[in-house]
Amino acid sequence: MKLARHDHMVTIRLLGPPTIERDGEPVRPPRGRKAWALLAYLLLAERAPSRKHLAELFFAEADDPLGAVRWTLAELRRALTLPGAFQGDPVAAALGAGVVVDALWATGADAIAGPAGEAGGELLEGVQLPSCLEFESWLLVARHRVSAAVEARLRQEAVTLLAAGDADQAIGYASRAVAHNPLDEGNHELLVRCLAVSGDQAAALRQVEVCADLLRRELGMDPSPALREAATAGPGSAMASPLGGRAAAVSQLDAGRAAIAAGAVDAGMQCLRRAVTEAAHCRDDALRARALATLGGALVHAVRGRDNEGAVVLEEAIQLAGRAGDRATAVTAHRELGFVEVQAGRRRTADAWLAKAQAIAETDAELAAIFGVRGMNASDAGDYPAAFGHLGESVERAAACGDHRQRAWSLSLLARAYLLRGERGEAARAVGASLELVHEQRWLAFLPWPQSLRAELDLDAGDVDGAADGLAHAWALACQLGDPCWEGMAARGLGRLHAARADAPGATQWLGEASRRCSRVPDRYQWVHGYVLDAAIGAALDQDQPDRARPLLDALAALAARCDMRELVVRAHLHRARLGDPTARASARLLAAGVDNPALHDLLT
């Protein structure tokens, strides 16, 4: 049924205490304490629910559960003045034109404005249904997801404004991101950078101290060097060069690329910063865009803890590339911004950047890289059909254009997806092909990742000695490279190795080391952090140490929900079931409905 267009604007506010407004004025809310819960579920569920499912979820104790569903849906139509809404079975949630939902706006692709931009409260604040425990589990996860989406939108707006040179406006959004999640060092770093670029260095330095004090008091940790360095940002900062002209800019750009490829990161970064400055001096927008995109990529990949600075630089590269008509640079910068968001677990903003990159990409090399990152994002989220599609496309296009490193990278992610699904034969073939290419290319900076995956397969197959050799090499190389992600993966494997050898203290020590290593920078790869926590919880429960497992489980549940890592959300509930929570397994089944993973569903039976 088509919904009639409204002459009035209806706003549904689900963030904070729920309300409905018509043309900015509040209207009488729906009756029944479960109406708000049902409305939020209909609007935010991944797929349209059946009436039977709604009856079981909300009204299982009613004399006529389906009748209670019908009455509540009718009450929602009345409150919204939408007589054609919420019809059919499954129940359609489309509301038509003239209706705005703040939670949907926060998670959409539009520019932040209106209700999403003003949102400050949690989803369905004050709404509790203790008699509907499965819904309560769903709501807890949904609150984390929506909160993370709002935070991501605030950050994105701040970065966009900062890259456009409007630091004063950016400060407001960065400040709200800090207020939204004050324990995220990256939010503070972004605010410090905005303040410094605006010219208020005193305020930037004060914010550095505020953040440092907060992190020490609440988390017992010191901030990364990137926080204090952000206070030195500003026009021309750290980019002075004695050279001049376009030729100097090109020379510095080439030298920077070569230095970073050779592993001389610090020297390479200095060259790239000089290239940006020289390109600005000679007013060559296309060259400056290329230099900025290269610098941004280096900050994202070669220097850990610099993703925030890299994002600002990449945004500026996009704006300059647009003015110069430089399509290839725009593709690169969009893709790199997507990669930043994938690592941070900001799924929707990652998809938005990658979709823009794909829309303007033309070559196999460009598309191979984009599909690789899209596959990574889908796999992290537990969307395996999409992951296999994207990664398969990436491998094919990388082979067609001879990009052997991209092919190795995407094959390793295919191997990870197969491994997580328990499809070990396919995983072994994919990781074997990845390792062969890595060795051919002498790509030592990437080697610890596929080595750790291979070792995990060896452990599952009972080849403890083979796993030990691979993990020892992966750990040593990861530490030499100083990469937190590789260190975390290798240490996780070593923890599992010690558990396989019945060395419980060794397993505990290595899994604790894995957690510390993979989370030691603010721009950590969140999936690896969650994967490590999952293993640590399992080991603690296997050792009958529930008190050690519980705080780890709380951390995993919050992280997985905020970063939309659905499979890890389900695994967190399965851990709760092992701890004796009588409703956790049923909640896990509800949350696993959209995850196509046979190995996971075997655990639910």
Side-chain angles (χ1 to χ4, degrees), residues 424 454-468 496-497 500-501:
R424 293 182 177 84
R454 164 81 86 176
E456 186 154 351
L457 285 166
D458 290 339
L459 275 176
D460 290 342
D463 183 2
V464 176
D465 291 338
R496 287 196 63 212
L497 175 70
R501 290 173 168 169

Side-chain angles (χ1 to χ4, degrees), residues 47-65:
R47 58 188 52 81
S50 68
R51 290 175 180 254
K52 180 175 181 292
H53 173 68
L54 294 175
E56 292 170 348
L57 190 62
F58 291 103
F59 304 107
E61 298 177 357
D63 293 336
D64 180 6

